[in-house]
């Protein structure tokens, strides 16, 4: 019912267009839409403007540069496309239009419906349940990769693994990741990897592509093989916005092949720095311990040194040295005293020497000797004189004088004969005269 | 597939111990042992001689790990199936 001027306010055009725009944006909003492109224009601004039509109707569409640069193909007039778009009104001109956010080549619409149906069915079946998910190793050493050997995905993944964990060993289980045979080939590669049983984790990866390119990852049989894999599977298919059935079935979904590789590998720099930390912790611990022990050792060494016999010996030697010193001093002192005393006595002795006495006595002796000799001589002289006197007296009395007067003495055998009786005839006698002697024989 | 650089096929594709396997095992064991040694040393219950031995071993393990990482070169092979027979091939990623 159009508003009448009488019972309602009068709208301005702007207000109406604003109102309509709000109704469209909130009431219809963001939708998927399939149609054919016509009147395609791509001015230098980089935005695309075109009409989208089917056999009975058409509408205006705009796709701005920041969006159309991502879709990977350039639409042609007459091409069937599937778009995701925001329904709106261009207020300035009152044009009803859609702002396209995403565009795919068509055929896709049917695929999307199939995808949704499959996802719903498998999800209901419990194939995507968290309880089914196997834990994914975050620092795998043996990594299996299921992808095409000639794609960008394997190169990206290997480059990440090489950078992060070059110790890893990678086994590639090659499979085409595009086309009719891709899904069963991928499934076979996964089964082969499970039989091979050499890897701790499997990366199921593929580079970006169109929805149709990625379609093989929306295969039911493949989803079941992924879910049944004994080895954990990490998926990394297409770009961040792309979700496939394989992603849901996998134990972990990574947005890209590179991220998938990163997720399962340790970072060598982290491990290196962990080793460094362990090393320095170990060194610190050991250093502290050695310092403690060294300190204790020094203390004990000092205490031991104090008790060393050498020390005691030194002390005794010092004592001995002191004692020897004082002994020596004492002896020296005593010696000096004795020497002094001896010197004193010696001097005294020298004064008392007997030589003088001897000298004196010798003088006396010589004197006496001289007197003795004198006396002796005097006496000898006197006696000689007396003897002469006596000899003269004696001479008068001598027999020899008698004899001289003519007497002779008779001796026999040396004896003086006093009597004639004492002689017998024949005896030989000696006759002594004053002038000599003669022998005579008695013959009467 | 024809872009691949093919290496002589191996008669048996079952996993067999390789240098790289041993290297990886050694590395993991070394790392685990190193960590255990660090903890043991930090607990400080070892005798001095034993601790010095462990320390020396720890340093050797750390150096071995660092050396292994520094010297590591990513090994890539591929396992294919031909006529029901599994074959291990080399993989040259620069060969497009």
């Amino acid at each position: 019912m159009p508003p009448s001027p009488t019972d309602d306010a009068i709208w301005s055009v702007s207000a109406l267009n604003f109102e309509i725009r709000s109704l469209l944006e909130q009431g219809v909003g963001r939708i998927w839409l399939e149609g054919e492109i016509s009147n395609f224009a791509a001015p230098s601004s980089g935005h695309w403007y075109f009409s989208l039509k089917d056999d009975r109707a058409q509408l205006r569409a705009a796709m701005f540069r920041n969006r159309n640069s991502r879709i990977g193909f350039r639409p042609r007039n007459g091409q069937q496309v599937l778009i995701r778009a925001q329904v709106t009104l261009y207020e300035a001109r009152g044009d009803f239009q859609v702002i396209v956010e995403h565009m795919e080549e068509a055929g896709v619409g049917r695929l999307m419906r199939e995808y949704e149906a499959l996802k719903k069915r498998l999800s209901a079946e419990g194939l995507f349940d968290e309880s089914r998910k196997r834990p994914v190793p975050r620092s795998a050493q043996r990594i299996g990769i299921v992808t095409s050997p000639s794609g960008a995905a394997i190169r990206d993944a290997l480059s990440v693994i090489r950078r992060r964990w070059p110790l890893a060993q990678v086994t590639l289980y090659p499979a085409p990741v595009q086309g009719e045979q891709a899904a069963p080939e991928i499934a076979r590669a996964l089964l082969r990897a499970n039989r091979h049983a050499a890897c701790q984790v499997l990366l199921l990866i593929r580079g970006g592509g169109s929805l149709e390119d990625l379609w093989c990852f929306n295969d039911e049989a493949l989803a079941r093989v992924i879910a049944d894999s004994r080895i954990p599977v990490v998926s990394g298919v297409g770009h961040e916005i792309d979700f496939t059935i394989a992603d849901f079935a996998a134990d972990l979904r990574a947005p890209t092949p590179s991220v998938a590789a990163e997720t399962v590998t340790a970072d060598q720099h982290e491990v290196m720095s962990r080793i460094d930390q362990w090393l320095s912790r170990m060194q610190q611990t050991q250093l502290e311990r050695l310092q403690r022990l060294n300190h204790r050792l020094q203390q004990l060494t000092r205490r031991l040194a104090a008790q060393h016999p050498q020390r005691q010996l030194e002390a005794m030697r010092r004592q001995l040295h002191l004692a020897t010193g004082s002994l020596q001093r004492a002896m020296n002192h005593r010696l000096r005293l004795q020497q002094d005393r001896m010197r004193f006595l010696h001097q005294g002795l020298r004064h008392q020497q007997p030589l003088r006495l001897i000298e004196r006595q010798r003088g006396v002796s010589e004197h006496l000797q001289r007197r003795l000799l004198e006396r002796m001589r005097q006496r000898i002289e006197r006696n000689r004189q007396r003897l002469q006197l006596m000899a003269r007296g004696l001479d008068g009395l001598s027999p020899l004088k008698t004899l001289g007067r003519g007497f002779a003495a008779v001796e026999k055998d040396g004896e003086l004969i006093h009597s004639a009786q004492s002689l017998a005839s024949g005896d030989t006698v000696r006759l002594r005269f004053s002038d000599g002697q003669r022998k005579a024989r008695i013959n009467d | 597939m024809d872009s691949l650089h093919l290496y002589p096929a191996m008669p048996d594709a079952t996993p067999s111990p390789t240098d790289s396997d041993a290297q990886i095992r050694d590395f993991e064991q070394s790392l685990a042992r190193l960590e255990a040694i660090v903890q043991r040393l930090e607990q400080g219950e070892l005798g001095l001689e034993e601790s010095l031995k462990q320390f020396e071993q720890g340093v050797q393990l750390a150096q071995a790990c660092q050396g292994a990482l520094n010297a590591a070169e990513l090994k890539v092979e591929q396992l294919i199936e031909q006529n029901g027979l599994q074959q291990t091939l080399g993989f040259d990623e620069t060969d497009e």
Side-chain angles (χ1 to χ4, degrees), chain B residues 18-88:
Chain B
T18 62
D19 287 353
S20 136
D21 277 339
Q23 196 186 4
I24 288 167
R25 250 199 322 278
D26 285 353
F27 186 89
E28 288 184 318
Q29 282 176 359
S30 297
L31 213 57
R33 277 168 61 200
L34 176 57
E35 187 172 19
I37 285 173
V38 174
Q39 285 171 352
R40 230 176 300 153
L41 284 176
E42 284 179 341
Q43 282 162 3
E45 286 163 7
L46 296 174
L48 176 63
E49 200 177 336
E50 182 60 21
S51 83
L52 287 172
K53 240 184 259 171
Q54 295 274 320
F55 174 75
E56 195 180 342
Q57 206 178 27
V59 172
Q60 281 170 355
L61 287 170
Q63 285 170 346
C65 287
Q66 290 169 331
L69 263 183
N70 284 329
E73 251 182 80
L74 185 65
K75 295 189 176 57
V76 186
E77 57 171 28
Q78 55 178 330
L79 190 83
I80 63 162
E81 204 168 48
Q82 269 184 339
N83 309 322
L85 209 69
Q86 294 199 332
Q87 288 188 339
T88 307

Side-chain angles (χ1 to χ4, degrees), chain A residues 111-171:
Chain A
L111 292 177
M112 286 302 289
R113 281 188 293 279
E114 285 175 18
Y115 165 86
E116 288 298 338
L118 179 59
K119 183 179 153 191
K120 202 168 166 184
R121 187 152 53 83
L122 293 180
S123 179
E125 200 183 303
L127 204 74
F128 307 152
D129 284 0
E130 283 302 315
S131 59
R132 287 189 62 122
K133 310 285 192 197
R134 288 154 297 247
V136 172
R138 301 297 171 153
S139 55
Q141 301 284 8
R142 300 216 45 160
I143 300 165
I145 300 182
V146 176
T147 192
S148 160
S150 57
I154 182 69
R155 285 200 309 277
D156 290 351
L158 287 180
S159 130
V160 169
I161 296 171
R162 181 174 289 111
R163 172 167 53 78
R164 286 175 62 83
W165 198 248
L167 268 174
Q169 185 169 4
V170 174
T171 305

Side-chain angles (χ1 to χ4, degrees), chain A residues 237-310:
Chain A
V237 176
H239 294 301
E240 200 159 351
I241 55 158
D242 302 313
F243 271 85
T244 64
I245 298 295
D247 286 325
F248 293 111
D251 298 289
L252 185 71
R253 182 254 176 188
T256 64
S258 296
V259 176
E262 196 174 315
T263 304
V264 301
T265 46
D267 180 1
Q268 60 168 325
H269 302 296
E270 277 173 23
V271 173
M272 279 290 206
S273 78
R274 195 167 2 133
I275 292 173
D276 281 340
Q277 281 172 5
W278 282 344
L279 258 180
S280 60
R281 265 164 63 182
M282 214 162 58
Q283 280 162 345
Q284 188 59 32
T285 305
Q286 207 62 358
L287 188 68
E288 280 166 9
R289 175 166 197 173
L290 288 178
Q291 280 171 343
R292 273 199 309 276
L293 284 175
N294 193 33
H295 183 66
R296 225 177 105 196
L297 182 63
Q298 279 177 347
Q299 283 183 329
L300 288 174
T301 307
R302 272 198 295 275
R303 284 167 58 187
L304 185 64
Q307 301 300 322
H308 196 277
Q310 187 70 31

